[in-house]
Amino acid sequence: MTGSVGLGLPGVPAPTLAPRRRTRQLMVGNVGVGSDHPIPVQSMTTTPTHDINATLQQIAELTASGCDIVRVACPRQEDADALVAIAAKSQIPVIADIHFQPRYIFAAIDAGCAAVRVNPGNIKEFDGRVGEVAKAAGAAGIPIRIGVNAGSLDKRMMDKYGKATPEALVESALWEASLFEEHGFGDIKISVKHNDPVVMVEAYRQLAAQSDYPLHLGVTEAGPSFQGTIKSAVAFGALLSEGIGDTIRVSLSAPPAEEIKVGDQILQSLNLRPRKLEIVSCPSCGRAQVDVYTLANEVTAGLEGMEIPLRVAVMGCVVNGPGEAREADLGVASGNGRGQIFVKGKVIKTVPEAQIVETLIEEAMRIAEESDPDTASGSPVVTVG
């Protein structure tokens, strides 16, 4: 289009730190899982599953936030009974989360769930029921996630290792997977979660070295939003940078949609999914001649929800400001009560400080209208400094 601004380099894949570890491939509903597919972001509903309307409402909110797969708890019969309606009406694949009672596994399969997560450490006599589960899941064509958690590790492993070590988590997971394999069932995804990122990372590294199963990454009980975000970003970053990880869930003591935002940003930061809007900002310092914090927050709020790839630089001093703004798709270098507005490296206008945010948002919207999101390969990035 005449006058359009090119964003990114179409056809050139974004660089990553390591190639994805090769795995077998699975389908969770219509979402591919494994090394041939993009990494999905998951979350879990916090509503009582038997409250169908509330659960579907939360799933809709998660879907709007970019969630790819959702998990629902199934601790009671009334929850199992609700799975039929939830699986049928959800816009994204539903995984049933099963603990304690093996009969709910079969209820979830019969209800049309896209997958089932089982916790062998606390399901009664699970090993003796694996053949039945394998047969039912195989007939339905759905995968099973073997979810081993440090807090509910199989008693045999606790007796052997004394605590939830990486070796204990891995041995438990691979033992259960071997039982399924004995019954000819191999559509398996595995997670080995721990609340300590160091233990968790080592467990996944060992598991990745010993199998080709797709791996679901998670730091369990990661904590409140800030702490959980840091722990998850550190652990996921270490593993994903080595090509390990095929689905992720950021576990936060926060509304589920917050988990999706964090997970999405982790993947975007590592170029493991196309970047959208990215805000890059400096921490401010004595050189800043504008209120960087306010500018950053207002630009972020004004551009929330933008889907096209865009880099916006909001810079507050003359040291790095012009250079950062020039390198962005859209930027401002501020000083002396004014801001120079850059588009693709060229100054297009100078505006008073009070008009910087308004001008940046207007230019971003203009770029969005002129660009073609289907062919743009970069991402929006806002740099504030």
Side-chain angles (χ1 to χ4, degrees):
M1 289 180 289
T2 303
S4 65
V5 177
L7 303 176
L9 297 172
V12 178
T16 56
L17 292 170
R20 290 275 296 280
R21 158 184 166 266
R22 296 300 303 168
T23 73
R24 60 186 72 184
Q25 312 303 314
L26 308 176
M27 292 299 299
V28 177
N30 61 356
V31 177
V33 172
S35 52
D36 290 349
H37 304 280
I39 298 173
V41 178
Q42 296 186 198
S43 186
M44 188 172 183
T45 55
T46 59
T47 55
T49 302
H50 60 266
D51 188 339
I52 296 173
N53 289 336
T55 300
L56 285 172
Q57 176 62 35
Q58 193 168 76
I59 291 175
E61 293 168 0
L62 284 167
T63 303
S65 298
C67 184
D68 299 302
I69 300 170
V70 66
R71 186 156 47 105
V72 299
C74 190
R76 297 175 294 275
Q77 184 62 51
E78 57 188 339
D79 300 312
D81 294 339
L83 292 176
V84 174
I86 292 169
K89 295 180 180 179
S90 173
Q91 293 182 306
I92 56 177
V94 173
I95 297 177
D97 190 63
I98 310 298
H99 299 265
F100 305 114
Q101 293 293 341
R103 70 176 183 272
Y104 298 148
I105 300 173
F106 304 103
I109 293 171
D110 292 341
C113 290
V116 176
R117 183 268 177 139
V118 297
N119 186 340
N122 62 24
I123 294 180
K124 296 178 181 179
E125 301 176 356
F126 181 73
D127 288 1
R129 307 294 298 272
V130 166
E132 298 173 65
V133 174
K135 182 178 180 181
I142 68 170
I144 297 289
R145 170 154 76 91
I146 297 172
V148 176
N149 268 26
S152 53
L153 186 62
D154 189 303
K155 184 179 182 299
R156 293 168 296 184
M157 299 302 160
M158 289 297 289
D159 291 343
K160 179 177 179 179
Y161 290 95
K163 61 180 180 179
T165 64
E167 292 76 15
L169 296 169
V170 171
E171 183 173 333
S172 177
L174 291 180
W175 164 254
E176 301 299 341
S178 72
L179 298 182
F180 277 96
E181 297 283 3
E182 287 179 4
H183 292 279
F185 185 87
D187 288 342
I188 297 167
K189 180 171 63 171
I190 294 180
S191 63
V192 282
K193 296 185 179 182
H194 199 286
N195 58 56
D196 184 332
V198 174
V199 177
M200 174 268 201
V201 167
E202 179 58 26
Y204 277 99
R205 282 174 173 161
Q206 292 184 21
L207 187 56
Q210 297 179 47
S211 74
D212 69 345
Y213 296 113
L215 303 182
H216 172 71
L217 303 187
V219 178
T220 189
E221 294 97 34
S225 186
F226 177 76
Q227 176 181 290
T229 294
I230 298 300
K231 290 171 72 172
S232 297
V234 167
F236 293 3
L239 291 167
L240 293 169
S241 68
E242 299 172 10
I244 298 171
D246 303 289
T247 64
I248 65 171
R249 189 254 173 124
V250 178
S251 298
L252 301 177
S253 299
E258 293 300 310
E259 299 182 350
I260 302 306
K261 292 179 182 178
V262 175
D264 185 71
Q265 284 297 310
I266 290 172
L267 293 178
Q268 287 189 42
S269 296
L270 292 169
N271 287 334
L272 292 171
R273 64 170 46 187
R275 297 189 182 189
K276 299 174 185 175
L277 180 66
E278 183 180 349
I279 310 282
V280 182
S281 64
C282 79
S284 192
C285 69
R287 297 190 303 265
Q289 297 176 323
V290 296
D291 183 348
V292 172
Y293 303 147
T294 298
L295 279 180
N297 289 333
E298 290 182 354
V299 170
T300 301
L303 297 179
E304 184 176 3
M306 180 168 283
E307 294 292 322
I308 69 163
L310 181 69
R311 173 168 292 150
V312 183
V314 185
M315 303 302 296
C317 82
V318 296
V319 175
N320 296 318
E324 292 282 0
R326 190 175 293 113
E327 290 299 315
D329 295 309
L330 170 64
V332 61
S334 307
N336 297 321
R338 300 179 302 170
Q340 285 188 316
I341 306 298
F342 289 75
V343 173
K344 298 304 287 185
K346 295 182 179 179
V347 177
I348 62 167
K349 65 179 74 171
T350 300
V351 300
E353 181 178 339
Q355 296 179 18
I356 288 175
V357 173
E358 175 187 356
T359 303
L360 286 175
I361 292 173
E362 288 177 352
E363 289 299 320
M365 297 305 176
R366 181 183 63 79
I367 291 172
E369 291 175 0
E370 294 178 350
S371 67
D372 183 354
D374 293 329
T375 59
S377 69
S379 319
V381 179
V382 176
T383 306
V384 183

